[in-house]
Amino acid sequence: MGLEKIESFLGSHIEGFFNRRFASDLEPVELADGAKKEIRQLASENKGEVPNVVIFSLSPDDYSRLCAQRVQSELYEEIEREIIRADAFMEGELALRLCPSTEVQKGIFDLKLEQGGGQKVQESTIVIRREVSLLEQAAVPAKQHKLATLSVIEGPDVDVCLEFGEEKIYIGRRDTNEFILTDGNASRLHAWVAYERHRHVLYDARSTNGTFVNDKAIERVQLCHGDRVRIGSTLLKYEVI
């Protein structure tokens, strides 16, 4: 056997040995970190737009451990938060898919993002599925994804904080608001936050004294991590969890 053939033989067999011997289990945090990196790259290339279908291809062993709904739900939240942190946006509902592949080695994964119709992670296909009775469905509410906080850093309600996700929240002195202020300079319904294109958007509700973000009067603005919102004598800070 020639020298080149010997080197090739040893290289392929040693590499295979180390791959088999030292291949480690893939962890959810590695999937999340990979998705975050890809989201930032695509956002920078596409003027902030990120495709809404996120597909992870895993080895059968890794897939069997990571296909649980709990893991997918955590990945869903991390992707949603990263869209905000990257000042990006996404058209359509986020679809998260984990797929087994015999072409992927244990401990690594392939990741692809593409644009298309999709459903939220709770409705994505999971191989291991238990039938849930109507009674159980009634007893267990759908998981609410908490993505960001609004916290009062100045004003009568200092230290009051609200965690929220995809739901609409109303802000002001009205006692039916999700975020109730006691500030006499705030209107009863002063502003609201909607969830659009996977971003929190703040609207002024034709308030008496106006709504300001980073000292600028607004009618509508897409919030970014760290933004400061002035409502009457109250200063709030918006942060991704």
Side-chain angles (χ1 to χ4, degrees), residues 20-48:
R20 289 191 300 273
R21 177 66 180 82
F22 296 107
S24 58
D25 289 338
L26 192 63
E27 297 298 333
V29 66
E30 297 176 76
L31 300 181
D33 288 346
K36 291 176 185 178
K37 182 178 179 180
E38 188 70 10
I39 285 168
R40 288 193 171 272
Q41 180 65 31
L42 290 171
S44 67
E45 294 174 353
N46 301 310
K47 298 181 180 179

PDB file of all heavy atoms in Angstrom, residues 20-48:
ATOM      1  N   ARG A  20     -17.223   8.847  16.418  1.00  0.00           N
ATOM      2  CA  ARG A  20     -18.071   7.898  17.155  1.00  0.00           C
ATOM      3  C   ARG A  20     -17.795   7.966  18.650  1.00  0.00           C
ATOM      4  O   ARG A  20     -18.696   7.886  19.471  1.00  0.00           O
ATOM      5  CB  ARG A  20     -17.818   6.486  16.638  1.00  0.00           C
ATOM      6  CG  ARG A  20     -18.358   6.228  15.233  1.00  0.00           C
ATOM      7  CD  ARG A  20     -18.321   4.749  14.903  1.00  0.00           C
ATOM      8  NE  ARG A  20     -16.971   4.210  14.959  1.00  0.00           N
ATOM      9  CZ  ARG A  20     -16.113   4.223  13.928  1.00  0.00           C
ATOM     10  NH1 ARG A  20     -16.480   4.747  12.780  1.00  0.00           N
ATOM     11  NH2 ARG A  20     -14.897   3.721  14.059  1.00  0.00           N
ATOM     12  N   ARG A  21     -16.525   8.106  18.998  1.00  0.00           N
ATOM     13  CA  ARG A  21     -16.127   8.028  20.414  1.00  0.00           C
ATOM     14  C   ARG A  21     -16.517   9.288  21.187  1.00  0.00           C
ATOM     15  O   ARG A  21     -16.930   9.211  22.331  1.00  0.00           O
ATOM     16  CB  ARG A  21     -14.599   7.812  20.482  1.00  0.00           C
ATOM     17  CG  ARG A  21     -14.043   7.792  21.903  1.00  0.00           C
ATOM     18  CD  ARG A  21     -14.547   6.590  22.682  1.00  0.00           C
ATOM     19  NE  ARG A  21     -14.025   6.581  24.022  1.00  0.00           N
ATOM     20  CZ  ARG A  21     -14.513   7.260  25.032  1.00  0.00           C
ATOM     21  NH1 ARG A  21     -15.558   8.045  24.838  1.00  0.00           N
ATOM     22  NH2 ARG A  21     -13.984   7.173  26.234  1.00  0.00           N
ATOM     23  N   PHE A  22     -16.378  10.436  20.542  1.00  0.00           N
ATOM     24  CA  PHE A  22     -16.532  11.669  21.287  1.00  0.00           C
ATOM     25  C   PHE A  22     -17.771  12.482  20.888  1.00  0.00           C
ATOM     26  O   PHE A  22     -17.943  13.592  21.366  1.00  0.00           O
ATOM     27  CB  PHE A  22     -15.282  12.538  21.131  1.00  0.00           C
ATOM     28  CG  PHE A  22     -14.051  11.895  21.712  1.00  0.00           C
ATOM     29  CD1 PHE A  22     -13.065  11.377  20.875  1.00  0.00           C
ATOM     30  CD2 PHE A  22     -13.891  11.786  23.075  1.00  0.00           C
ATOM     31  CE1 PHE A  22     -11.942  10.786  21.414  1.00  0.00           C
ATOM     32  CE2 PHE A  22     -12.758  11.201  23.606  1.00  0.00           C
ATOM     33  CZ  PHE A  22     -11.777  10.690  22.778  1.00  0.00           C
ATOM     34  N   ALA A  23     -18.615  11.943  20.006  1.00  0.00           N
ATOM     35  CA  ALA A  23     -19.839  12.662  19.635  1.00  0.00           C
ATOM     36  C   ALA A  23     -20.687  12.884  20.883  1.00  0.00           C
ATOM     37  O   ALA A  23     -20.987  11.944  21.615  1.00  0.00           O
ATOM     38  CB  ALA A  23     -20.621  11.860  18.599  1.00  0.00           C
ATOM     39  N   SER A  24     -21.041  14.118  21.142  1.00  0.00           N
ATOM     40  CA  SER A  24     -21.809  14.438  22.344  1.00  0.00           C
ATOM     41  C   SER A  24     -23.245  14.761  21.972  1.00  0.00           C
ATOM     42  O   SER A  24     -23.559  15.080  20.822  1.00  0.00           O
ATOM     43  CB  SER A  24     -21.179  15.622  23.077  1.00  0.00           C
ATOM     44  OG  SER A  24     -21.118  16.743  22.217  1.00  0.00           O
ATOM     45  N   ASP A  25     -24.119  14.680  22.961  1.00  0.00           N
ATOM     46  CA  ASP A  25     -25.521  14.991  22.727  1.00  0.00           C
ATOM     47  C   ASP A  25     -25.685  16.469  22.402  1.00  0.00           C
ATOM     48  O   ASP A  25     -25.048  17.335  23.014  1.00  0.00           O
ATOM     49  CB  ASP A  25     -26.345  14.658  23.976  1.00  0.00           C
ATOM     50  CG  ASP A  25     -26.461  13.158  24.195  1.00  0.00           C
ATOM     51  OD1 ASP A  25     -26.286  12.418  23.220  1.00  0.00           O
ATOM     52  OD2 ASP A  25     -26.712  12.755  25.341  1.00  0.00           O
ATOM     53  N   LEU A  26     -26.528  16.743  21.452  1.00  0.00           N
ATOM     54  CA  LEU A  26     -26.845  18.111  21.083  1.00  0.00           C
ATOM     55  C   LEU A  26     -27.762  18.710  22.143  1.00  0.00           C
ATOM     56  O   LEU A  26     -28.696  18.054  22.618  1.00  0.00           O
ATOM     57  CB  LEU A  26     -27.534  18.118  19.718  1.00  0.00           C
ATOM     58  CG  LEU A  26     -27.715  19.451  19.014  1.00  0.00           C
ATOM     59  CD1 LEU A  26     -26.371  20.071  18.692  1.00  0.00           C
ATOM     60  CD2 LEU A  26     -28.519  19.246  17.728  1.00  0.00           C
ATOM     61  N   GLU A  27     -27.518  19.957  22.538  1.00  0.00           N
ATOM     62  CA  GLU A  27     -28.309  20.606  23.572  1.00  0.00           C
ATOM     63  C   GLU A  27     -29.190  21.702  22.957  1.00  0.00           C
ATOM     64  O   GLU A  27     -28.806  22.323  21.955  1.00  0.00           O
ATOM     65  CB  GLU A  27     -27.401  21.220  24.641  1.00  0.00           C
ATOM     66  CG  GLU A  27     -26.558  20.207  25.389  1.00  0.00           C
ATOM     67  CD  GLU A  27     -27.381  19.196  26.160  1.00  0.00           C
ATOM     68  OE1 GLU A  27     -28.527  19.528  26.553  1.00  0.00           O
ATOM     69  OE2 GLU A  27     -26.903  18.071  26.363  1.00  0.00           O
ATOM     70  N   PRO A  28     -30.355  21.982  23.558  1.00  0.00           N
ATOM     71  CA  PRO A  28     -31.245  23.028  23.028  1.00  0.00           C
ATOM     72  C   PRO A  28     -30.566  24.384  22.878  1.00  0.00           C
ATOM     73  O   PRO A  28     -30.860  25.118  21.939  1.00  0.00           O
ATOM     74  CB  PRO A  28     -32.372  23.073  24.060  1.00  0.00           C
ATOM     75  CG  PRO A  28     -32.398  21.706  24.663  1.00  0.00           C
ATOM     76  CD  PRO A  28     -30.967  21.265  24.691  1.00  0.00           C
ATOM     77  N   VAL A  29     -29.654  24.717  23.792  1.00  0.00           N
ATOM     78  CA  VAL A  29     -28.996  26.026  23.721  1.00  0.00           C
ATOM     79  C   VAL A  29     -28.171  26.158  22.444  1.00  0.00           C
ATOM     80  O   VAL A  29     -28.031  27.262  21.896  1.00  0.00           O
ATOM     81  CB  VAL A  29     -28.111  26.260  24.969  1.00  0.00           C
ATOM     82  CG1 VAL A  29     -26.944  25.288  25.016  1.00  0.00           C
ATOM     83  CG2 VAL A  29     -27.616  27.699  25.024  1.00  0.00           C
ATOM     84  N   GLU A  30     -27.632  25.045  21.935  1.00  0.00           N
ATOM     85  CA  GLU A  30     -26.871  25.095  20.688  1.00  0.00           C
ATOM     86  C   GLU A  30     -27.781  25.398  19.509  1.00  0.00           C
ATOM     87  O   GLU A  30     -27.409  26.151  18.596  1.00  0.00           O
ATOM     88  CB  GLU A  30     -26.140  23.773  20.480  1.00  0.00           C
ATOM     89  CG  GLU A  30     -25.095  23.451  21.542  1.00  0.00           C
ATOM     90  CD  GLU A  30     -24.471  22.086  21.353  1.00  0.00           C
ATOM     91  OE1 GLU A  30     -23.626  21.957  20.452  1.00  0.00           O
ATOM     92  OE2 GLU A  30     -24.845  21.147  22.081  1.00  0.00           O
ATOM     93  N   LEU A  31     -28.990  24.833  19.513  1.00  0.00           N
ATOM     94  CA  LEU A  31     -29.964  25.141  18.459  1.00  0.00           C
ATOM     95  C   LEU A  31     -30.352  26.615  18.526  1.00  0.00           C
ATOM     96  O   LEU A  31     -30.430  27.300  17.501  1.00  0.00           O
ATOM     97  CB  LEU A  31     -31.206  24.262  18.618  1.00  0.00           C
ATOM     98  CG  LEU A  31     -31.015  22.752  18.548  1.00  0.00           C
ATOM     99  CD1 LEU A  31     -32.361  22.045  18.702  1.00  0.00           C
ATOM    100  CD2 LEU A  31     -30.345  22.333  17.257  1.00  0.00           C
ATOM    101  N   ALA A  32     -30.598  27.093  19.747  1.00  0.00           N
ATOM    102  CA  ALA A  32     -30.993  28.494  19.917  1.00  0.00           C
ATOM    103  C   ALA A  32     -29.889  29.439  19.457  1.00  0.00           C
ATOM    104  O   ALA A  32     -30.157  30.417  18.754  1.00  0.00           O
ATOM    105  CB  ALA A  32     -31.347  28.760  21.386  1.00  0.00           C
ATOM    106  N   ASP A  33     -28.636  29.134  19.822  1.00  0.00           N
ATOM    107  CA  ASP A  33     -27.524  29.999  19.420  1.00  0.00           C
ATOM    108  C   ASP A  33     -27.358  30.012  17.902  1.00  0.00           C
ATOM    109  O   ASP A  33     -27.067  31.060  17.303  1.00  0.00           O
ATOM    110  CB  ASP A  33     -26.229  29.529  20.085  1.00  0.00           C
ATOM    111  CG  ASP A  33     -26.199  29.843  21.574  1.00  0.00           C
ATOM    112  OD1 ASP A  33     -27.032  30.643  22.030  1.00  0.00           O
ATOM    113  OD2 ASP A  33     -25.343  29.265  22.280  1.00  0.00           O
ATOM    114  N   GLY A  34     -27.538  28.859  17.272  1.00  0.00           N
ATOM    115  CA  GLY A  34     -27.435  28.792  15.820  1.00  0.00           C
ATOM    116  C   GLY A  34     -28.518  29.605  15.136  1.00  0.00           C
ATOM    117  O   GLY A  34     -28.257  30.312  14.151  1.00  0.00           O
ATOM    118  N   ALA A  35     -29.731  29.528  15.666  1.00  0.00           N
ATOM    119  CA  ALA A  35     -30.841  30.291  15.095  1.00  0.00           C
ATOM    120  C   ALA A  35     -30.620  31.789  15.264  1.00  0.00           C
ATOM    121  O   ALA A  35     -30.878  32.579  14.351  1.00  0.00           O
ATOM    122  CB  ALA A  35     -32.154  29.860  15.746  1.00  0.00           C
ATOM    123  N   LYS A  36     -30.129  32.202  16.429  1.00  0.00           N
ATOM    124  CA  LYS A  36     -29.876  33.627  16.678  1.00  0.00           C
ATOM    125  C   LYS A  36     -28.844  34.178  15.696  1.00  0.00           C
ATOM    126  O   LYS A  36     -29.019  35.265  15.138  1.00  0.00           O
ATOM    127  CB  LYS A  36     -29.387  33.826  18.118  1.00  0.00           C
ATOM    128  CG  LYS A  36     -30.432  33.564  19.182  1.00  0.00           C
ATOM    129  CD  LYS A  36     -29.811  33.697  20.558  1.00  0.00           C
ATOM    130  CE  LYS A  36     -30.781  33.339  21.652  1.00  0.00           C
ATOM    131  NZ  LYS A  36     -30.160  33.430  22.996  1.00  0.00           N
ATOM    132  N   LYS A  37     -27.775  33.419  15.493  1.00  0.00           N
ATOM    133  CA  LYS A  37     -26.730  33.865  14.572  1.00  0.00           C
ATOM    134  C   LYS A  37     -27.279  34.007  13.157  1.00  0.00           C
ATOM    135  O   LYS A  37     -26.997  34.983  12.450  1.00  0.00           O
ATOM    136  CB  LYS A  37     -25.575  32.863  14.600  1.00  0.00           C
ATOM    137  CG  LYS A  37     -24.408  33.252  13.722  1.00  0.00           C
ATOM    138  CD  LYS A  37     -23.280  32.240  13.839  1.00  0.00           C
ATOM    139  CE  LYS A  37     -22.105  32.623  12.934  1.00  0.00           C
ATOM    140  NZ  LYS A  37     -20.997  31.632  13.036  1.00  0.00           N
ATOM    141  N   GLU A  38     -28.092  33.039  12.735  1.00  0.00           N
ATOM    142  CA  GLU A  38     -28.650  33.073  11.384  1.00  0.00           C
ATOM    143  C   GLU A  38     -29.642  34.223  11.223  1.00  0.00           C
ATOM    144  O   GLU A  38     -29.684  34.880  10.174  1.00  0.00           O
ATOM    145  CB  GLU A  38     -29.337  31.738  11.079  1.00  0.00           C
ATOM    146  CG  GLU A  38     -29.785  31.562   9.644  1.00  0.00           C
ATOM    147  CD  GLU A  38     -28.619  31.399   8.670  1.00  0.00           C
ATOM    148  OE1 GLU A  38     -27.467  31.232   9.124  1.00  0.00           O
ATOM    149  OE2 GLU A  38     -28.867  31.439   7.454  1.00  0.00           O
ATOM    150  N   ILE A  39     -30.434  34.488  12.265  1.00  0.00           N
ATOM    151  CA  ILE A  39     -31.404  35.588  12.211  1.00  0.00           C
ATOM    152  C   ILE A  39     -30.684  36.920  12.033  1.00  0.00           C
ATOM    153  O   ILE A  39     -31.077  37.752  11.211  1.00  0.00           O
ATOM    154  CB  ILE A  39     -32.258  35.596  13.487  1.00  0.00           C
ATOM    155  CG1 ILE A  39     -33.283  34.454  13.436  1.00  0.00           C
ATOM    156  CG2 ILE A  39     -32.978  36.939  13.666  1.00  0.00           C
ATOM    157  CD1 ILE A  39     -33.976  34.196  14.746  1.00  0.00           C
ATOM    158  N   ARG A  40     -29.616  37.135  12.781  1.00  0.00           N
ATOM    159  CA  ARG A  40     -28.881  38.401  12.664  1.00  0.00           C
ATOM    160  C   ARG A  40     -28.235  38.541  11.279  1.00  0.00           C
ATOM    161  O   ARG A  40     -28.216  39.622  10.703  1.00  0.00           O
ATOM    162  CB  ARG A  40     -27.820  38.489  13.762  1.00  0.00           C
ATOM    163  CG  ARG A  40     -28.429  38.727  15.134  1.00  0.00           C
ATOM    164  CD  ARG A  40     -27.406  39.135  16.170  1.00  0.00           C
ATOM    165  NE  ARG A  40     -28.073  39.544  17.404  1.00  0.00           N
ATOM    166  CZ  ARG A  40     -28.484  40.779  17.651  1.00  0.00           C
ATOM    167  NH1 ARG A  40     -28.280  41.725  16.745  1.00  0.00           N
ATOM    168  NH2 ARG A  40     -29.091  41.081  18.788  1.00  0.00           N
ATOM    169  N   GLN A  41     -27.721  37.440  10.760  1.00  0.00           N
ATOM    170  CA  GLN A  41     -27.099  37.484   9.441  1.00  0.00           C
ATOM    171  C   GLN A  41     -28.129  37.813   8.363  1.00  0.00           C
ATOM    172  O   GLN A  41     -27.910  38.685   7.512  1.00  0.00           O
ATOM    173  CB  GLN A  41     -26.432  36.139   9.143  1.00  0.00           C
ATOM    174  CG  GLN A  41     -25.754  36.051   7.788  1.00  0.00           C
ATOM    175  CD  GLN A  41     -24.560  36.981   7.647  1.00  0.00           C
ATOM    176  OE1 GLN A  41     -23.883  37.268   8.640  1.00  0.00           O
ATOM    177  NE2 GLN A  41     -24.302  37.449   6.439  1.00  0.00           N
ATOM    178  N   LEU A  42     -29.271  37.129   8.398  1.00  0.00           N
ATOM    179  CA  LEU A  42     -30.301  37.360   7.394  1.00  0.00           C
ATOM    180  C   LEU A  42     -30.911  38.753   7.528  1.00  0.00           C
ATOM    181  O   LEU A  42     -31.224  39.396   6.521  1.00  0.00           O
ATOM    182  CB  LEU A  42     -31.392  36.291   7.520  1.00  0.00           C
ATOM    183  CG  LEU A  42     -30.979  34.877   7.093  1.00  0.00           C
ATOM    184  CD1 LEU A  42     -32.056  33.869   7.470  1.00  0.00           C
ATOM    185  CD2 LEU A  42     -30.702  34.823   5.600  1.00  0.00           C
ATOM    186  N   ALA A  43     -31.073  39.226   8.763  1.00  0.00           N
ATOM    187  CA  ALA A  43     -31.626  40.567   8.978  1.00  0.00           C
ATOM    188  C   ALA A  43     -30.715  41.628   8.384  1.00  0.00           C
ATOM    189  O   ALA A  43     -31.177  42.604   7.779  1.00  0.00           O
ATOM    190  CB  ALA A  43     -31.852  40.811  10.466  1.00  0.00           C
ATOM    191  N   SER A  44     -29.399  41.444   8.534  1.00  0.00           N
ATOM    192  CA  SER A  44     -28.450  42.422   7.995  1.00  0.00           C
ATOM    193  C   SER A  44     -28.421  42.393   6.474  1.00  0.00           C
ATOM    194  O   SER A  44     -28.163  43.415   5.823  1.00  0.00           O
ATOM    195  CB  SER A  44     -27.051  42.165   8.554  1.00  0.00           C
ATOM    196  OG  SER A  44     -26.524  40.937   8.069  1.00  0.00           O
ATOM    197  N   GLU A  45     -28.696  41.244   5.883  1.00  0.00           N
ATOM    198  CA  GLU A  45     -28.656  41.105   4.428  1.00  0.00           C
ATOM    199  C   GLU A  45     -29.957  41.538   3.761  1.00  0.00           C
ATOM    200  O   GLU A  45     -29.957  41.906   2.583  1.00  0.00           O
ATOM    201  CB  GLU A  45     -28.369  39.645   4.056  1.00  0.00           C
ATOM    202  CG  GLU A  45     -26.978  39.158   4.460  1.00  0.00           C
ATOM    203  CD  GLU A  45     -26.788  37.675   4.203  1.00  0.00           C
ATOM    204  OE1 GLU A  45     -27.782  37.011   3.830  1.00  0.00           O
ATOM    205  OE2 GLU A  45     -25.654  37.190   4.379  1.00  0.00           O
ATOM    206  N   ASN A  46     -31.078  41.473   4.494  1.00  0.00           N
ATOM    207  CA  ASN A  46     -32.403  41.672   3.894  1.00  0.00           C
ATOM    208  C   ASN A  46     -33.177  42.835   4.502  1.00  0.00           C
ATOM    209  O   ASN A  46     -34.406  42.793   4.592  1.00  0.00           O
ATOM    210  CB  ASN A  46     -33.223  40.381   4.017  1.00  0.00           C
ATOM    211  CG  ASN A  46     -32.561  39.205   3.337  1.00  0.00           C
ATOM    212  OD1 ASN A  46     -32.157  39.287   2.182  1.00  0.00           O
ATOM    213  ND2 ASN A  46     -32.436  38.103   4.067  1.00  0.00           N
ATOM    214  N   LYS A  47     -32.455  43.864   4.942  1.00  0.00           N
ATOM    215  CA  LYS A  47     -33.081  45.064   5.490  1.00  0.00           C
ATOM    216  C   LYS A  47     -34.047  44.743   6.633  1.00  0.00           C
ATOM    217  O   LYS A  47     -35.115  45.317   6.758  1.00  0.00           O
ATOM    218  CB  LYS A  47     -33.819  45.831   4.390  1.00  0.00           C
ATOM    219  CG  LYS A  47     -32.899  46.318   3.279  1.00  0.00           C
ATOM    220  CD  LYS A  47     -33.656  47.091   2.218  1.00  0.00           C
ATOM    221  CE  LYS A  47     -32.723  47.580   1.121  1.00  0.00           C
ATOM    222  NZ  LYS A  47     -33.441  48.331   0.061  1.00  0.00           N
ATOM    223  N   GLY A  48     -33.656  43.796   7.467  1.00  0.00           N
ATOM    224  CA  GLY A  48     -34.424  43.463   8.662  1.00  0.00           C
ATOM    225  C   GLY A  48     -35.379  42.301   8.514  1.00  0.00           C
ATOM    226  O   GLY A  48     -35.837  41.755   9.521  1.00  0.00           O
TER     227      GLY A  48
END
